[in-house]
Amino acid sequence: MDLTLQHHGDHLFIRSVSEAGIQVVDNLYTTPIILSAREIIPDWAVKSIDDFEQKHLEPVLQLNPEIVLIGTGNVQAFLPPELMMFFYQRNIGIEVMSTQAACRTFNVLVSESRNVAAALIPV
């Protein structure tokens, strides 16, 4: 699914997401990544939503986001309540959705200059 065809400002954006991977600007990522408007953290240690633990959130927090999007692959899955509370206790908004939905939402929020980070598991 192509999401955008051109660069809309001075920030990273997701160009497409498919079974081949997640294309950020001109680079294709086939493993889970963490992404902000200015930084990509490749090879995130989470391979599926079942692997998700609090220790995996540290690289996300280092980006100091106000909103975190978690892309769970092809199908939306939910984090355990204690992991959701991890964000709420830090006054960070959290949304968990399919990776395609998270990629679309990331692009919209970045284009609005929102301080967002996305942790994405490929589809």
Side-chain angles (χ1 to χ4, degrees):
M1 167 195 315
D2 285 341
L3 298 179
T4 184
L5 296 176
Q6 51 189 309
H7 184 43
H8 296 290
D10 187 25
H11 58 267
L12 296 171
F13 63 97
I14 300 168
R15 180 162 291 186
S16 67
V17 59
S18 68
E19 291 181 6
I22 300 166
Q23 185 173 351
V24 179
V25 186
D26 293 325
N27 298 314
L28 183 67
Y29 295 89
T30 59
T31 60
I33 61 171
I34 298 171
L35 176 67
S36 74
R38 305 251 181 253
E39 187 174 348
I40 298 172
I41 302 171
D43 300 321
W44 185 36
V46 173
K47 302 301 179 212
S48 77
I49 196 68
D50 297 328
D51 296 338
F52 212 93
E53 296 178 21
Q54 188 169 325
K55 68 182 180 183
H56 298 121
L57 303 175
E58 293 306 319
V60 177
L61 293 181
Q62 289 174 4
L63 298 173
N64 297 314
E66 66 182 53
I67 303 167
V68 173
L69 306 173
I70 306 288
T72 60
N74 256 343
V75 179
Q76 180 183 19
F78 294 97
L79 295 178
E82 61 271 10
L83 290 179
M84 297 295 285
M85 287 304 299
F86 180 85
F87 290 101
Y88 295 141
Q89 291 169 340
R90 289 161 178 76
N91 293 319
I92 299 172
I94 175 79
E95 292 291 333
V96 183
M97 56 191 81
S98 72
T99 296
Q100 290 183 343
C103 290
R104 289 189 303 269
T105 304
F106 175 84
N107 281 348
V108 169
L109 293 174
V110 167
S111 73
E112 295 174 349
S113 299
R114 301 291 301 271
N115 184 6
V116 60
L120 306 169
I121 298 169
V123 296

PDB file of all heavy atoms in Angstrom, residues 76-98:
ATOM      1  N   GLN A  76      -4.686  -5.964  14.305  1.00  0.00           N
ATOM      2  CA  GLN A  76      -4.580  -5.221  15.550  1.00  0.00           C
ATOM      3  C   GLN A  76      -4.607  -6.192  16.722  1.00  0.00           C
ATOM      4  O   GLN A  76      -5.425  -7.111  16.779  1.00  0.00           O
ATOM      5  CB  GLN A  76      -5.737  -4.239  15.688  1.00  0.00           C
ATOM      6  CG  GLN A  76      -5.677  -3.431  16.962  1.00  0.00           C
ATOM      7  CD  GLN A  76      -6.875  -2.518  17.120  1.00  0.00           C
ATOM      8  OE1 GLN A  76      -7.904  -2.715  16.496  1.00  0.00           O
ATOM      9  NE2 GLN A  76      -6.726  -1.515  17.960  1.00  0.00           N
ATOM     10  N   ALA A  77      -3.682  -5.999  17.630  1.00  0.00           N
ATOM     11  CA  ALA A  77      -3.640  -6.750  18.887  1.00  0.00           C
ATOM     12  C   ALA A  77      -3.500  -5.711  19.996  1.00  0.00           C
ATOM     13  O   ALA A  77      -3.178  -4.557  19.723  1.00  0.00           O
ATOM     14  CB  ALA A  77      -2.472  -7.725  18.892  1.00  0.00           C
ATOM     15  N   PHE A  78      -3.731  -6.113  21.207  1.00  0.00           N
ATOM     16  CA  PHE A  78      -3.686  -5.152  22.302  1.00  0.00           C
ATOM     17  C   PHE A  78      -2.576  -5.496  23.276  1.00  0.00           C
ATOM     18  O   PHE A  78      -2.260  -6.665  23.493  1.00  0.00           O
ATOM     19  CB  PHE A  78      -5.032  -5.110  23.026  1.00  0.00           C
ATOM     20  CG  PHE A  78      -6.124  -4.577  22.144  1.00  0.00           C
ATOM     21  CD1 PHE A  78      -6.972  -5.434  21.461  1.00  0.00           C
ATOM     22  CD2 PHE A  78      -6.264  -3.212  21.951  1.00  0.00           C
ATOM     23  CE1 PHE A  78      -7.957  -4.947  20.626  1.00  0.00           C
ATOM     24  CE2 PHE A  78      -7.244  -2.710  21.117  1.00  0.00           C
ATOM     25  CZ  PHE A  78      -8.096  -3.575  20.452  1.00  0.00           C
ATOM     26  N   LEU A  79      -1.983  -4.451  23.850  1.00  0.00           N
ATOM     27  CA  LEU A  79      -0.969  -4.638  24.878  1.00  0.00           C
ATOM     28  C   LEU A  79      -1.642  -4.967  26.196  1.00  0.00           C
ATOM     29  O   LEU A  79      -2.774  -4.534  26.445  1.00  0.00           O
ATOM     30  CB  LEU A  79      -0.159  -3.355  25.045  1.00  0.00           C
ATOM     31  CG  LEU A  79       0.696  -2.910  23.873  1.00  0.00           C
ATOM     32  CD1 LEU A  79       1.393  -1.596  24.221  1.00  0.00           C
ATOM     33  CD2 LEU A  79       1.710  -3.966  23.509  1.00  0.00           C
ATOM     34  N   PRO A  80      -0.942  -5.676  27.068  1.00  0.00           N
ATOM     35  CA  PRO A  80      -1.482  -5.900  28.411  1.00  0.00           C
ATOM     36  C   PRO A  80      -1.691  -4.562  29.125  1.00  0.00           C
ATOM     37  O   PRO A  80      -0.966  -3.590  28.861  1.00  0.00           O
ATOM     38  CB  PRO A  80      -0.405  -6.730  29.106  1.00  0.00           C
ATOM     39  CG  PRO A  80       0.448  -7.282  28.022  1.00  0.00           C
ATOM     40  CD  PRO A  80       0.347  -6.321  26.873  1.00  0.00           C
ATOM     41  N   PRO A  81      -2.666  -4.490  30.015  1.00  0.00           N
ATOM     42  CA  PRO A  81      -2.958  -3.224  30.715  1.00  0.00           C
ATOM     43  C   PRO A  81      -1.744  -2.605  31.406  1.00  0.00           C
ATOM     44  O   PRO A  81      -1.595  -1.381  31.408  1.00  0.00           O
ATOM     45  CB  PRO A  81      -4.033  -3.612  31.735  1.00  0.00           C
ATOM     46  CG  PRO A  81      -4.681  -4.826  31.147  1.00  0.00           C
ATOM     47  CD  PRO A  81      -3.600  -5.548  30.396  1.00  0.00           C
ATOM     48  N   GLU A  82      -0.862  -3.414  31.960  1.00  0.00           N
ATOM     49  CA  GLU A  82       0.302  -2.848  32.661  1.00  0.00           C
ATOM     50  C   GLU A  82       1.248  -2.128  31.696  1.00  0.00           C
ATOM     51  O   GLU A  82       1.886  -1.137  32.070  1.00  0.00           O
ATOM     52  CB  GLU A  82       1.064  -3.910  33.464  1.00  0.00           C
ATOM     53  CG  GLU A  82       1.635  -5.047  32.663  1.00  0.00           C
ATOM     54  CD  GLU A  82       0.685  -6.223  32.471  1.00  0.00           C
ATOM     55  OE1 GLU A  82      -0.517  -6.116  32.798  1.00  0.00           O
ATOM     56  OE2 GLU A  82       1.159  -7.252  31.984  1.00  0.00           O
ATOM     57  N   LEU A  83       1.318  -2.572  30.447  1.00  0.00           N
ATOM     58  CA  LEU A  83       2.146  -1.863  29.476  1.00  0.00           C
ATOM     59  C   LEU A  83       1.464  -0.583  28.997  1.00  0.00           C
ATOM     60  O   LEU A  83       2.139   0.419  28.732  1.00  0.00           O
ATOM     61  CB  LEU A  83       2.486  -2.765  28.297  1.00  0.00           C
ATOM     62  CG  LEU A  83       3.450  -3.913  28.621  1.00  0.00           C
ATOM     63  CD1 LEU A  83       3.705  -4.775  27.391  1.00  0.00           C
ATOM     64  CD2 LEU A  83       4.761  -3.389  29.182  1.00  0.00           C
ATOM     65  N   MET A  84       0.157  -0.597  28.906  1.00  0.00           N
ATOM     66  CA  MET A  84      -0.565   0.636  28.587  1.00  0.00           C
ATOM     67  C   MET A  84      -0.363   1.653  29.715  1.00  0.00           C
ATOM     68  O   MET A  84      -0.121   2.843  29.458  1.00  0.00           O
ATOM     69  CB  MET A  84      -2.051   0.349  28.375  1.00  0.00           C
ATOM     70  CG  MET A  84      -2.360  -0.569  27.206  1.00  0.00           C
ATOM     71  SD  MET A  84      -1.945   0.110  25.599  1.00  0.00           S
ATOM     72  CE  MET A  84      -3.261   1.295  25.393  1.00  0.00           C
ATOM     73  N   MET A  85      -0.423   1.201  30.955  1.00  0.00           N
ATOM     74  CA  MET A  85      -0.225   2.080  32.114  1.00  0.00           C
ATOM     75  C   MET A  85       1.181   2.665  32.132  1.00  0.00           C
ATOM     76  O   MET A  85       1.376   3.789  32.601  1.00  0.00           O
ATOM     77  CB  MET A  85      -0.512   1.328  33.423  1.00  0.00           C
ATOM     78  CG  MET A  85      -1.976   1.061  33.655  1.00  0.00           C
ATOM     79  SD  MET A  85      -2.987   2.564  33.638  1.00  0.00           S
ATOM     80  CE  MET A  85      -2.300   3.479  34.994  1.00  0.00           C
ATOM     81  N   PHE A  86       2.161   1.931  31.632  1.00  0.00           N
ATOM     82  CA  PHE A  86       3.533   2.415  31.547  1.00  0.00           C
ATOM     83  C   PHE A  86       3.567   3.763  30.832  1.00  0.00           C
ATOM     84  O   PHE A  86       4.268   4.685  31.239  1.00  0.00           O
ATOM     85  CB  PHE A  86       4.387   1.376  30.811  1.00  0.00           C
ATOM     86  CG  PHE A  86       5.824   1.759  30.657  1.00  0.00           C
ATOM     87  CD1 PHE A  86       6.731   1.507  31.667  1.00  0.00           C
ATOM     88  CD2 PHE A  86       6.279   2.356  29.487  1.00  0.00           C
ATOM     89  CE1 PHE A  86       8.075   1.853  31.526  1.00  0.00           C
ATOM     90  CE2 PHE A  86       7.608   2.705  29.337  1.00  0.00           C
ATOM     91  CZ  PHE A  86       8.511   2.449  30.356  1.00  0.00           C
ATOM     92  N   PHE A  87       2.795   3.902  29.757  1.00  0.00           N
ATOM     93  CA  PHE A  87       2.735   5.160  29.011  1.00  0.00           C
ATOM     94  C   PHE A  87       1.882   6.189  29.725  1.00  0.00           C
ATOM     95  O   PHE A  87       2.267   7.353  29.847  1.00  0.00           O
ATOM     96  CB  PHE A  87       2.194   4.914  27.598  1.00  0.00           C
ATOM     97  CG  PHE A  87       3.148   4.153  26.721  1.00  0.00           C
ATOM     98  CD1 PHE A  87       2.965   2.799  26.498  1.00  0.00           C
ATOM     99  CD2 PHE A  87       4.227   4.785  26.137  1.00  0.00           C
ATOM    100  CE1 PHE A  87       3.844   2.096  25.688  1.00  0.00           C
ATOM    101  CE2 PHE A  87       5.112   4.089  25.329  1.00  0.00           C
ATOM    102  CZ  PHE A  87       4.917   2.741  25.104  1.00  0.00           C
ATOM    103  N   TYR A  88       0.717   5.788  30.198  1.00  0.00           N
ATOM    104  CA  TYR A  88      -0.193   6.729  30.856  1.00  0.00           C
ATOM    105  C   TYR A  88       0.458   7.379  32.075  1.00  0.00           C
ATOM    106  O   TYR A  88       0.270   8.569  32.325  1.00  0.00           O
ATOM    107  CB  TYR A  88      -1.494   6.038  31.264  1.00  0.00           C
ATOM    108  CG  TYR A  88      -2.313   5.546  30.095  1.00  0.00           C
ATOM    109  CD1 TYR A  88      -2.971   4.326  30.168  1.00  0.00           C
ATOM    110  CD2 TYR A  88      -2.448   6.286  28.911  1.00  0.00           C
ATOM    111  CE1 TYR A  88      -3.735   3.857  29.096  1.00  0.00           C
ATOM    112  CE2 TYR A  88      -3.186   5.826  27.851  1.00  0.00           C
ATOM    113  CZ  TYR A  88      -3.838   4.621  27.948  1.00  0.00           C
ATOM    114  OH  TYR A  88      -4.579   4.165  26.895  1.00  0.00           O
ATOM    115  N   GLN A  89       1.235   6.607  32.835  1.00  0.00           N
ATOM    116  CA  GLN A  89       1.902   7.145  34.016  1.00  0.00           C
ATOM    117  C   GLN A  89       2.948   8.195  33.664  1.00  0.00           C
ATOM    118  O   GLN A  89       3.343   8.993  34.495  1.00  0.00           O
ATOM    119  CB  GLN A  89       2.542   6.013  34.820  1.00  0.00           C
ATOM    120  CG  GLN A  89       1.520   5.118  35.473  1.00  0.00           C
ATOM    121  CD  GLN A  89       2.130   3.849  36.036  1.00  0.00           C
ATOM    122  OE1 GLN A  89       3.220   3.434  35.664  1.00  0.00           O
ATOM    123  NE2 GLN A  89       1.395   3.201  36.942  1.00  0.00           N
ATOM    124  N   ARG A  90       3.403   8.210  32.437  1.00  0.00           N
ATOM    125  CA  ARG A  90       4.391   9.176  31.957  1.00  0.00           C
ATOM    126  C   ARG A  90       3.747  10.285  31.121  1.00  0.00           C
ATOM    127  O   ARG A  90       4.441  11.041  30.458  1.00  0.00           O
ATOM    128  CB  ARG A  90       5.462   8.446  31.149  1.00  0.00           C
ATOM    129  CG  ARG A  90       6.349   7.594  32.034  1.00  0.00           C
ATOM    130  CD  ARG A  90       7.106   6.531  31.257  1.00  0.00           C
ATOM    131  NE  ARG A  90       7.982   5.775  32.124  1.00  0.00           N
ATOM    132  CZ  ARG A  90       7.590   4.823  32.969  1.00  0.00           C
ATOM    133  NH1 ARG A  90       6.330   4.505  33.069  1.00  0.00           N
ATOM    134  NH2 ARG A  90       8.469   4.185  33.722  1.00  0.00           N
ATOM    135  N   ASN A  91       2.413  10.331  31.136  1.00  0.00           N
ATOM    136  CA  ASN A  91       1.652  11.320  30.357  1.00  0.00           C
ATOM    137  C   ASN A  91       1.973  11.262  28.860  1.00  0.00           C
ATOM    138  O   ASN A  91       2.095  12.285  28.186  1.00  0.00           O
ATOM    139  CB  ASN A  91       1.875  12.736  30.888  1.00  0.00           C
ATOM    140  CG  ASN A  91       1.283  12.911  32.255  1.00  0.00           C
ATOM    141  OD1 ASN A  91       0.191  12.421  32.528  1.00  0.00           O
ATOM    142  ND2 ASN A  91       2.003  13.593  33.129  1.00  0.00           N
ATOM    143  N   ILE A  92       2.126  10.044  28.357  1.00  0.00           N
ATOM    144  CA  ILE A  92       2.376   9.816  26.937  1.00  0.00           C
ATOM    145  C   ILE A  92       1.150   9.115  26.366  1.00  0.00           C
ATOM    146  O   ILE A  92       0.731   8.075  26.877  1.00  0.00           O
ATOM    147  CB  ILE A  92       3.630   8.943  26.724  1.00  0.00           C
ATOM    148  CG1 ILE A  92       4.872   9.641  27.287  1.00  0.00           C
ATOM    149  CG2 ILE A  92       3.811   8.618  25.237  1.00  0.00           C
ATOM    150  CD1 ILE A  92       6.114   8.769  27.290  1.00  0.00           C
ATOM    151  N   GLY A  93       0.584   9.683  25.320  1.00  0.00           N
ATOM    152  CA  GLY A  93      -0.540   9.031  24.650  1.00  0.00           C
ATOM    153  C   GLY A  93      -0.067   7.763  23.954  1.00  0.00           C
ATOM    154  O   GLY A  93       1.051   7.713  23.441  1.00  0.00           O
ATOM    155  N   ILE A  94      -0.903   6.748  23.926  1.00  0.00           N
ATOM    156  CA  ILE A  94      -0.547   5.467  23.310  1.00  0.00           C
ATOM    157  C   ILE A  94      -1.731   4.965  22.488  1.00  0.00           C
ATOM    158  O   ILE A  94      -2.869   5.018  22.950  1.00  0.00           O
ATOM    159  CB  ILE A  94      -0.126   4.416  24.374  1.00  0.00           C
ATOM    160  CG1 ILE A  94       0.128   3.039  23.765  1.00  0.00           C
ATOM    161  CG2 ILE A  94      -1.145   4.289  25.473  1.00  0.00           C
ATOM    162  CD1 ILE A  94       1.435   2.886  23.096  1.00  0.00           C
ATOM    163  N   GLU A  95      -1.444   4.548  21.276  1.00  0.00           N
ATOM    164  CA  GLU A  95      -2.455   3.932  20.413  1.00  0.00           C
ATOM    165  C   GLU A  95      -1.851   2.662  19.834  1.00  0.00           C
ATOM    166  O   GLU A  95      -0.723   2.676  19.343  1.00  0.00           O
ATOM    167  CB  GLU A  95      -2.869   4.870  19.279  1.00  0.00           C
ATOM    168  CG  GLU A  95      -3.629   6.093  19.723  1.00  0.00           C
ATOM    169  CD  GLU A  95      -5.026   5.778  20.243  1.00  0.00           C
ATOM    170  OE1 GLU A  95      -5.612   4.763  19.831  1.00  0.00           O
ATOM    171  OE2 GLU A  95      -5.519   6.567  21.060  1.00  0.00           O
ATOM    172  N   VAL A  96      -2.606   1.581  19.891  1.00  0.00           N
ATOM    173  CA  VAL A  96      -2.165   0.294  19.359  1.00  0.00           C
ATOM    174  C   VAL A  96      -3.101  -0.069  18.219  1.00  0.00           C
ATOM    175  O   VAL A  96      -4.326  -0.056  18.392  1.00  0.00           O
ATOM    176  CB  VAL A  96      -2.172  -0.794  20.458  1.00  0.00           C
ATOM    177  CG1 VAL A  96      -1.654  -2.111  19.915  1.00  0.00           C
ATOM    178  CG2 VAL A  96      -1.358  -0.344  21.671  1.00  0.00           C
ATOM    179  N   MET A  97      -2.520  -0.374  17.047  1.00  0.00           N
ATOM    180  CA  MET A  97      -3.332  -0.643  15.859  1.00  0.00           C
ATOM    181  C   MET A  97      -2.536  -1.512  14.895  1.00  0.00           C
ATOM    182  O   MET A  97      -1.371  -1.812  15.155  1.00  0.00           O
ATOM    183  CB  MET A  97      -3.732   0.679  15.209  1.00  0.00           C
ATOM    184  CG  MET A  97      -2.573   1.567  14.844  1.00  0.00           C
ATOM    185  SD  MET A  97      -3.036   3.249  14.364  1.00  0.00           S
ATOM    186  CE  MET A  97      -3.263   4.007  15.960  1.00  0.00           C
ATOM    187  N   SER A  98      -3.153  -1.902  13.803  1.00  0.00           N
ATOM    188  CA  SER A  98      -2.418  -2.638  12.781  1.00  0.00           C
ATOM    189  C   SER A  98      -1.275  -1.750  12.273  1.00  0.00           C
ATOM    190  O   SER A  98      -1.330  -0.522  12.384  1.00  0.00           O
ATOM    191  CB  SER A  98      -3.331  -3.041  11.630  1.00  0.00           C
ATOM    192  OG  SER A  98      -3.669  -1.905  10.863  1.00  0.00           O
TER     193      SER A  98
END
